Amino acid sequence: MTETTFTPRVFSGIQPSGNLHLGNYLGALKRFAAAQNEGIESIYCMVDLHAITVWQDPADLRRATRELCAGFIASGLDPEKSILINQSQVPEHAQLAWIFNCVARMGWMQRMTQWKDKAGKNAQNASLGLFAYPSLMAADILIYHATHVPVGEDQKQHLELTRDIAAKFNHDYGVDFFPLTEPVIEGAATRVMSLRDGSKKMSKSDPSDASRINMTDDADTIAKKIRKAKTDPEPLPDNTDELDERPEARNLVNIYAALADMPVEQVIADHAGQNFATFKPSLADLAVAKLAPIAEEMSRLMGEQDEIDRILTRGAERARAITAPILRQTYDIVGLVPPVEL
Ligand code: TYM
């Protein structure tokens, strides 16, 4: 079989489950805007159907979805250049996910570390949706024949599974229909760690608000959280190897590098020998300069909810021009009889 060449297309998604934070920004959002500005066709998604795999209060979910859309735009996404969508408004995602539920194997899902972490010891009581989560994620990506997916490190295993699902579908049906998507996990901040514990990833579900910088935090809060971030008593070293044993120091240096768009080596060269009493205020100034305008813009956009809803509606319309034909072809490959014109 000759290999199909797929046109480069970027897709990525974020859950609208509240507390959009610096990890989401540096690991994902900031890089979305970079892909858009390189001129690659890009689709960015608020994955509300993924969010409800665990309980969401309906009013909070609606608010978080609009706030996430505001976050996308405030981080530099242009709804004219990129396609911005809310997952549930593009029904082909869920329709393809069902086909993939019939392709993927139970054992594949059981191996997912996110499933194990989230379901914990109480797996029997977790939702079926949480178990099938990666299958919907594969559908999000493959319903666009997306070739590249910018994400943080924690999504790597899900993207490997996406490739497995595409390969098994292609193999089972003897086609070369779905691309083997490339994860794009790049930059200094693919895994931003908690400000309170350098061994834990920065997360929206950490009970300590001081562990993360929220994208809605104001300048004072950002500066305070950085000042209080856990560190060690040593000054910054003059080479990056010495950061290996110092997770909190490494985290702050990585955050600095990602915010300043400079290599980690450069940050070390500029700040070698400094104590955290000196480095932290520099980092706080940088973080406030980069993040406070985003928070302000998010808050302004949240005052224009009708505009956000229109952007999402328009995004879904543009998305469906891509997804509807791909779903039709998938159904045809699988042998589902299509409706006829009456
Ligand atoms: P979610 O909503 O947990 O996170 C959204 C994005 O933020 C990245 N991220 C981080 N990056 C660096 N450091 C951190 N501490 C950090 N925390 C989160 C995540 O890696 C992700 O890129 N399953 C996905 C959503 C999803 C998706 C998709 C992504 C659904 N369908 C299709 C890509 C393609 C998730 O829960 O991301």
Side-chain angles (χ1 to χ4, degrees):
M1 200 170 16
T2 55
E3 255 189 46
T4 315
T5 317
F6 294 92
T7 323
R9 190 178 273 157
V10 172
F11 179 93
S12 199
I14 298 187
Q15 294 195 58
S17 38
N19 289 344
L20 192 65
H21 56 74
L22 182 66
N24 299 132
Y25 177 66
L26 295 177
L29 275 169
K30 184 168 186 279
R31 297 170 48 237
F32 297 174
Q36 164 195 274
N37 297 336
E38 279 168 30
I40 309 169
E41 185 180 25
S42 311
I43 301 110
Y44 297 115
C45 185
M46 286 119 252
V47 291
D48 55 352
L49 297 176
H50 276 113
I52 60 165
T53 57
V54 297
W55 169 253
Q56 303 291 333
D57 173 82
D60 290 348
L61 177 62
R62 265 189 286 273
R63 185 188 150 76
T65 303
R66 292 180 174 126
E67 189 172 82
L68 179 55
C69 184
F72 276 45
I73 297 169
S75 307
L77 290 181
D78 174 347
E80 293 300 318
K81 287 193 195 155
S82 297
I83 301 180
L84 301 188
I85 53 165
N86 186 26
Q87 190 184 31
S88 60
Q89 291 184 28
V90 184
E92 289 78 12
H93 289 233
Q95 288 173 293
L96 183 63
W98 182 259
I99 305 277
F100 286 169
N101 284 344
C102 302
V103 171
R105 305 289 96 179
M106 300 273 282
W108 298 3
M109 301 292 154
Q110 245 148 6
R111 279 199 295 277
M112 293 294 109
T113 48
Q114 191 162 309
W115 158 253
K116 289 192 250 182
D117 289 350
K118 278 201 171 177
K121 292 195 179 70
N122 207 5
Q124 290 303 314
N125 210 24
S127 76
L128 196 51
L130 188 65
F131 190 63
Y133 182 112
S135 176
L136 176 59
M137 183 160 158
D140 292 337
I141 296 164
L142 295 172
I143 195 66
Y144 296 92
H145 280 181
T147 54
H148 295 87
V149 183
V151 281
E153 175 72 38
D154 60 349
Q155 295 302 312
K156 192 165 176 233
Q157 196 186 29
H158 284 155
L159 292 182
E160 281 160 5
L161 190 91
T162 299
R163 290 166 69 92
D164 291 342
I165 291 178
K168 186 169 188 314
F169 180 98
N170 289 346
H171 176 266
D172 287 356
Y173 291 101
V175 291
D176 190 15
F177 185 63
F178 287 116
L180 299 186
T181 304
E182 291 293 336
V184 186
I185 303 172
E186 282 171 0
T190 56
R191 190 172 173 83
V192 178
M193 308 309 279
S194 155
L195 297 180
R196 308 299 309 160
D197 176 351
S199 68
K200 276 190 357 203
K201 127 186 132 161
M202 186 178 284
S203 147
K204 67 185 116 198
S205 53
D206 194 314
S208 161
D209 194 59
S211 71
R212 67 182 158 262
I213 294 176
N214 299 303
M215 294 308 288
T216 47
D217 284 346
D218 61 21
D220 284 351
T221 312
I222 296 172
K224 197 159 107 202
K225 285 179 177 174
I226 292 177
R227 265 202 320 276
K228 291 198 163 171
K230 188 177 164 206
T231 41
D232 57 44
E234 302 298 318
L236 281 171
D238 59 9
N239 67 76
T240 54
D241 291 346
E242 282 183 42
L243 288 175
D244 288 350
E245 305 297 313
R246 299 172 61 188
E248 283 88 10
R250 172 171 281 282
N251 190 37
L252 295 189
V253 169
N254 284 352
I255 291 173
Y256 192 107
L259 283 172
D261 282 317
M262 58 166 66
V264 172
E265 291 73 18
Q266 183 66 47
V267 179
I268 287 294
D270 293 350
H271 298 272
Q274 278 184 4
N275 288 317
F276 282 100
T278 312
F279 182 68
K280 278 179 171 177
S282 307
L283 176 58
D285 286 349
L286 174 65
V288 167
K290 299 281 179 178
L291 303 176
I294 300 180
E296 275 167 36
E297 178 64 359
M298 280 176 76
S299 140
R300 189 191 68 75
L301 286 164
M302 282 302 278
E304 296 186 6
Q305 237 171 64
D306 291 351
E307 181 56 16
I308 287 185
D309 289 358
R310 270 196 296 275
I311 286 170
L312 291 176
T313 306
R314 173 79 188 117
E317 208 174 82
R318 289 168 66 200
R320 295 195 75 191
I322 304 171
T323 58
I326 292 180
L327 186 74
R328 249 191 325 271
Q329 290 173 67
T330 311
Y331 277 14
D332 185 48
I333 291 167
V334 171
L336 307 181
V337 175
V340 292
E341 298 265 334
L342 293 179

